[in-house]
Amino acid sequence: MADSNAVEEKNKANDPEAAFEDDILDDSKAKFINGGKSQEDSTVVEVSSASEPSFTGLGKDELRKYAEDPFWVRLRWVLFILFVLGWLAMLVAAIVIIVLAPRCPSRPDLKWYHKEAAYNVYTKSFLDGGDEKDGYGDLKGVIKKESYIQNLGAKTIWLSSIFKTDGDNDAAVVDFMALDEKFGTIDDFKTFLKALAKKDRKVIIDFDPNQTSQNHTWFQKSQKNEAGYENFYVWANSSNNWKQDDGSSAWSFNPIRKQYFLHQVSNNTADLNLRSKEVRDELKKIMEYWTGIGVSGFNIAGVQYLTENSTFIDDDGTKRQTRNFPDNGEIVAFLPLVFTSINEDSIDQLDMLFGTDERKGFHFVSVVLDKLDSSKTANGVTKMLQPYVNASSNRWLGWQLSSPYVSRVGQRLQDRVTIGHALQALLPGTALPYYGDEIAMIDGPTLTAQLSESGNSLMSSFTQLMQLRSNESLQFGQTQFCTTDDLLIFSRHAKGFAPYMVVINMGKSATAHSFVNDKCIGGKTAEVVFHSHNEDHMSKIIDVEAAVAIGSGEVLVLKFSP
């Protein structure tokens, strides 16, 4: 039998036709014929036979038997309960982590003008950088000192007196869209702005919208009553007793228009009528022009003169009809990013300058500490500062020690100028140092001359204080005064960040002070992060409840643990 099968298989191998017929009859094989070619070119693939048994799963009745089985029912419930408990455990753990884990301290949304010190340059006397050496400060002089300013810790440069004017009178502007020829060209200025912008640095400029030169095109047209310019200036049919700052009459008669015009600042200027929409529109165009080429903001000068009593009633000697008139606030509302400067005795103007919920105001107001001098006591300085600090709880202040219009802080504080630097850098607000204050420059000589005569210690202290401003508590922390008879003490603390305490000996002799139970301390020990007279004390950890020695005129800044 085996032999016969072997013979049969051999015959099939020799007879392709017979093999092909057998493959057709075999349901375990599938044959693919290649385009009708010979049998030799076809392919046979084996497939499962339908007669072979296969698993098709449990039937419905069988599944129901297992589903209703008590063992499997209990098992399903146990697994479900374990899943729910596990999920609840993870949820509770997540909530506990969220509640108990230390949170990141909140930070206010501070803009560049909140965080960056602005170095005020009075361009006409800053530095003559031109080849002609005409004795006037210019843009080239600013460019030469640009790195010097940055190294002091001031990213922003604030330029005063750059517009084209009549002579040396900064208020007598002939063209708000042209630079003083002695300062430089507009193309050079644009290049300067672009170069600073690449370094993420800003430039702000002075802008006095109150008056122009009588040679300004607007005044020339207004005095002729040309259409559109009739009300550009303050005109009246008769004068009254209003005075300029120098005590002379604030009115002059114009023979062309045959009316009087107002000039509160000087005889060769004329006051603009800022109640006129046409005037405000022109001023806005001017400011948009400067921001368009790269200027980041403006210091609005002469804000006290913006408006006056439109009924022209006589003044009673207080200048209330022409200075800080209530309508000034309405003028401020149309201006773009701006700040202004006020003297120490102008705190009653803050509400008007900062605006209200319904009316826009200045982005910040800078206080010029022009009465800060070496005769001031700790209590006297605290009394001077505290009303402004209290009023700035939801507002932003700036701090100036000098300006083009007051005596320099170096002249007033002399060898105690670091006291002024500390107040400017560490009080809540923006530091606005006037050029030369970093070396205690006095009235008179130029910056270059005094830089060559000054040592580096004072400038180093100034730079250290400016660098301290970057710490969160000193940038936006709450302020508390704890002044004693001779010691001016205040703390700065932002929740979640390291507190700081500033101690200044305003007395005439050294003292030792224990801060036990003092509200300004943030712990029993603190690190010395600034010492005005002894760098060896830097980074030392001191016990503030023990007697801390502080020399006359010294400034000490302490940092506590968060």
Side-chain angles (χ1 to χ4, degrees):
M1 182 70 179
D3 293 340
S4 63
N5 287 339
V7 171
E8 184 177 352
E9 290 296 327
K10 182 177 181 181
N11 292 334
K12 288 181 180 179
N14 296 327
D15 186 1
E17 292 293 335
F20 177 68
E21 291 176 359
D22 287 346
D23 287 342
I24 292 176
L25 298 175
D26 188 350
D27 61 359
S28 69
K29 298 179 179 180
K31 186 164 187 174
F32 298 89
I33 300 174
N34 187 10
K37 297 181 180 180
S38 65
Q39 302 298 329
E40 290 83 354
D41 295 328
S42 61
T43 301
V44 176
V45 180
E46 292 189 2
V47 295
S48 299
S49 173
S51 62
E52 295 178 359
S54 61
F55 180 76
T56 58
L58 297 175
K60 183 177 180 181
D61 292 337
E62 291 174 305
L63 286 173
R64 182 178 291 111
K65 181 178 71 172
Y66 283 105
E68 294 174 353
D69 185 281
F71 171 77
W72 293 108
V73 171
R74 288 193 298 272
L75 180 61
R76 286 198 303 274
W77 275 108
V78 169
L79 293 175
F80 175 73
I81 292 171
L82 288 174
F83 169 78
V84 172
L85 291 175
W87 182 85
L88 289 174
M90 289 188 292
L91 177 63
V92 171
I95 294 174
V96 169
I97 291 173
I98 293 171
V99 172
L100 298 182
R103 300 181 182 181
C104 294
S106 61
R107 297 169 180 265
D109 181 22
L110 298 183
K111 308 300 182 185
W112 62 266
Y113 51 86
H114 296 136
K115 297 182 288 187
E116 299 171 10
Y119 190 82
N120 183 201
V121 173
Y122 187 70
T123 56
K124 290 183 177 180
S125 61
F126 179 64
L127 181 63
D128 180 4
D131 296 333
E132 60 279 5
K133 299 299 178 185
D134 56 7
Y136 283 88
D138 48 33
L139 178 59
K140 291 181 179 179
V142 177
I143 293 172
K144 286 183 177 180
K145 289 294 182 182
E146 178 255 315
S147 296
Y148 165 81
I149 294 170
Q150 184 173 19
N151 291 336
L152 288 175
K155 286 186 67 175
T156 300
I157 298 177
W158 165 17
L159 299 176
S160 297
S161 182
I162 66 171
F163 297 133
K164 184 177 182 180
T165 60
D166 276 339
D168 292 329
N169 186 350
D170 296 340
V173 176
V174 176
D175 188 348
F176 285 111
M177 290 190 179
L179 294 176
D180 187 328
E181 295 175 355
K182 294 176 181 177
F183 176 69
T185 68
I186 192 66
D187 288 337
D188 288 342
F189 190 51
K190 290 179 180 179
T191 301
F192 171 64
L193 293 173
K194 289 178 181 178
L196 287 186
K198 289 180 180 178
K199 302 176 184 178
D200 193 29
R201 299 185 65 188
K202 305 290 191 297
V203 172
I204 54 181
I205 61 175
D206 275 353
F207 180 57
D208 189 342
N210 181 67
Q211 70 279 312
T212 71
S213 164
Q214 293 170 31
N215 290 320
H216 195 289
T217 303
W218 296 345
F219 187 80
Q220 296 298 308
K221 293 181 177 182
S222 186
Q223 70 178 352
K224 297 175 184 177
N225 253 328
E226 288 191 19
Y229 293 90
E230 304 95 330
N231 296 316
F232 255 55
Y233 293 83
V234 181
W235 295 95
N237 292 324
S238 60
S239 62
N240 57 20
N241 69 345
W242 292 356
K243 304 294 184 183
Q244 292 186 147
D245 288 335
D246 63 4
S248 61
S249 175
W251 296 96
S252 288
F253 183 75
N254 182 270
I256 298 175
R257 181 156 169 159
K258 301 189 183 307
Q259 281 186 302
Y260 289 87
F261 64 91
L262 184 66
H263 48 80
Q264 298 186 68
V265 177
S266 64
N267 290 330
N268 64 339
T269 62
D271 283 18
L272 287 163
N273 176 18
L274 295 178
R275 288 189 175 89
S276 166
K277 182 180 182 301
E278 290 74 19
V279 173
R280 294 199 302 272
D281 288 344
E282 287 296 325
L283 294 175
K284 190 173 182 180
K285 288 178 185 177
I286 291 167
M287 300 177 86
E288 288 173 347
Y289 166 75
W290 290 108
T291 55
I293 67 171
V295 170
S296 297
F298 303 88
N299 167 51
I300 303 303
V303 69
Q304 67 271 31
Y305 302 113
L306 293 179
T307 61
E308 56 287 318
N309 192 326
S310 58
T311 64
F312 302 137
I313 63 173
D314 279 348
D315 189 78
D316 59 2
T318 61
K319 296 185 178 179
R320 286 185 298 179
Q321 309 306 324
T322 57
R323 307 288 193 276
N324 298 313
F325 201 68
D327 290 353
N328 284 3
E330 302 302 323
I331 305 304
V332 171
F334 87 93
L335 300 173
L337 190 148
V338 291
F339 73 98
T340 191
S341 304
I342 58 175
N343 293 330
E344 292 172 20
D345 54 359
S346 302
I347 191 169
D348 58 327
Q349 300 301 313
L350 285 183
D351 288 339
M352 182 273 291
L353 296 173
F354 277 117
T356 63
D357 293 338
E358 295 77 26
R359 176 180 59 76
K360 178 182 173 183
F362 284 96
H363 291 74
F364 69 93
V365 176
S366 179
V367 183
V368 183
L369 300 177
D370 57 317
K371 295 182 176 61
L372 179 65
D373 58 38
S374 57
S375 69
K376 287 288 187 293
T377 64
N379 284 316
V381 175
T382 301
K383 185 178 179 180
M384 177 176 68
L385 298 174
Q386 195 155 22
Y388 284 100
V389 172
N390 293 344
S392 67
S393 57
N394 59 345
R395 298 161 168 174
W396 199 263
L397 293 176
W399 300 101
Q400 293 172 255
L401 300 174
S402 309
S403 82
Y405 313 107
V406 302
S407 178
R408 285 185 169 274
V409 69
Q411 194 84 21
R412 292 180 276 118
L413 282 177
Q414 300 173 8
D415 60 346
R416 293 189 165 202
V417 73
T418 301
I419 292 175
H421 293 164
L423 295 175
Q424 183 177 59
L426 306 180
L427 284 170
T430 299
L432 301 162
Y434 188 50
Y435 83 94
D437 280 355
E438 68 275 12
I439 58 169
M441 184 172 172
I442 59 174
D443 301 331
T446 64
L447 174 67
T448 305
Q450 294 198 27
L451 276 175
S452 62
E453 296 169 3
S454 300
N456 293 323
S457 60
L458 187 59
M459 191 184 302
S460 175
S461 295
F462 177 89
T463 304
Q464 289 176 43
L465 289 166
M466 287 297 161
Q467 290 172 344
L468 280 175
R469 292 187 70 254
S470 62
N471 292 285
E472 292 83 359
S473 285
L474 293 172
Q475 211 167 70
F476 52 83
Q478 297 296 313
T479 306
Q480 182 168 7
F481 285 92
C482 303
T483 297
T484 65
D485 290 339
D486 288 331
L487 298 181
L488 169 57
I489 306 169
F490 64 91
S491 64
R492 303 290 313 282
H493 185 206
K495 188 176 181 180
F497 298 99
Y500 287 79
M501 182 169 67
V502 181
V503 185
I504 303 173
N505 187 351
M506 303 288 294
K508 297 187 181 302
S509 58
T511 185
H513 184 76
S514 171
F515 295 93
V516 175
N517 299 323
D518 197 308
K519 293 181 180 179
C520 284
I521 64 172
K524 292 184 177 181
T525 60
E527 177 188 359
V528 178
V529 294
F530 178 82
H531 196 293
S532 60
H533 286 63
N534 193 339
E535 290 189 358
D536 292 339
H537 287 70
M538 295 287 288
S539 300
K540 283 187 175 180
I541 305 300
I542 63 172
D543 182 356
V544 296
E545 293 186 351
V548 179
I550 309 163
S552 175
E554 289 186 353
V555 178
L556 186 66
V557 182
L558 304 176
K559 177 183 178 181
F560 297 89
S561 297

